[in-house]
Amino acid sequence: LALAASLAVPFIGEVLGQTPCVRCWFQRAFMFPLAIILGLGLWWRDPRAGRYGIVLALGGGAVALWHMGLYAGLVPERIQPCTAAGPSCTDDNQLVFGIPIPLMALAAFALVGALSALSLKETRT
């Protein structure tokens, strides 16, 4: 899931031609390492790799939740961080196939975090 989300980034940018906003860059900073760390955890069959997945998913989920609040208009205009140079965090550029990018990111982080938590459950025989 983290790898699919990471591969969606070049698709959105290069194929669909959408330039990322400031918040999207912060979300990427959490998603890209997830794909690498969890991929290596699977490769090495490390049963505790999910711990790192949970931490990164919580951080990325927090950024995505804030971004979704900006997009939905729940965060007041006076504290919006995306008014500097670059694309807006709240315009139609944030839609892919009619779905807001921050919502897709939030769902991906939530699923990765939940699956990482499930991977840590001990099995009893």
Side-chain angles (χ1 to χ4, degrees):
L1 184 60
L3 180 61
S6 295
L7 292 175
V9 168
F11 175 78
I12 291 170
E14 299 301 321
V15 176
L16 299 179
Q18 293 182 341
T19 306
C21 70
V22 173
R23 290 290 159 219
C24 290
W25 281 110
F26 284 109
Q27 291 168 52
R28 291 174 182 194
F30 284 97
M31 187 59 76
F32 291 162
L34 268 171
I36 294 168
I37 290 169
L38 295 178
L40 289 174
L42 286 172
W43 179 265
W44 291 325
R45 295 186 177 126
D46 183 355
R48 297 174 299 166
R51 291 189 280 182
Y52 309 113
I54 292 169
V55 172
L56 285 170
L58 285 173
V63 175
L65 186 63
W66 180 263
H67 190 182
M68 193 61 213
L70 287 171
Y71 183 81
L74 300 174
V75 175
E77 292 239 357
R78 59 182 156 57
I79 58 172
Q80 286 188 9
C82 296
T83 55
S88 170
C89 289
T90 59
D91 65 6
D92 287 340
N93 193 40
Q94 295 299 313
L95 291 174
V96 174
F97 306 121
I99 303 170
I101 293 173
L103 181 60
M104 287 191 281
L106 182 59
F109 282 120
L111 283 170
V112 168
L115 291 172
S116 294
L118 284 174
S119 75
L120 296 178
K121 288 183 112 180
E122 291 185 29
T123 56
R124 300 190 191 256
T125 55

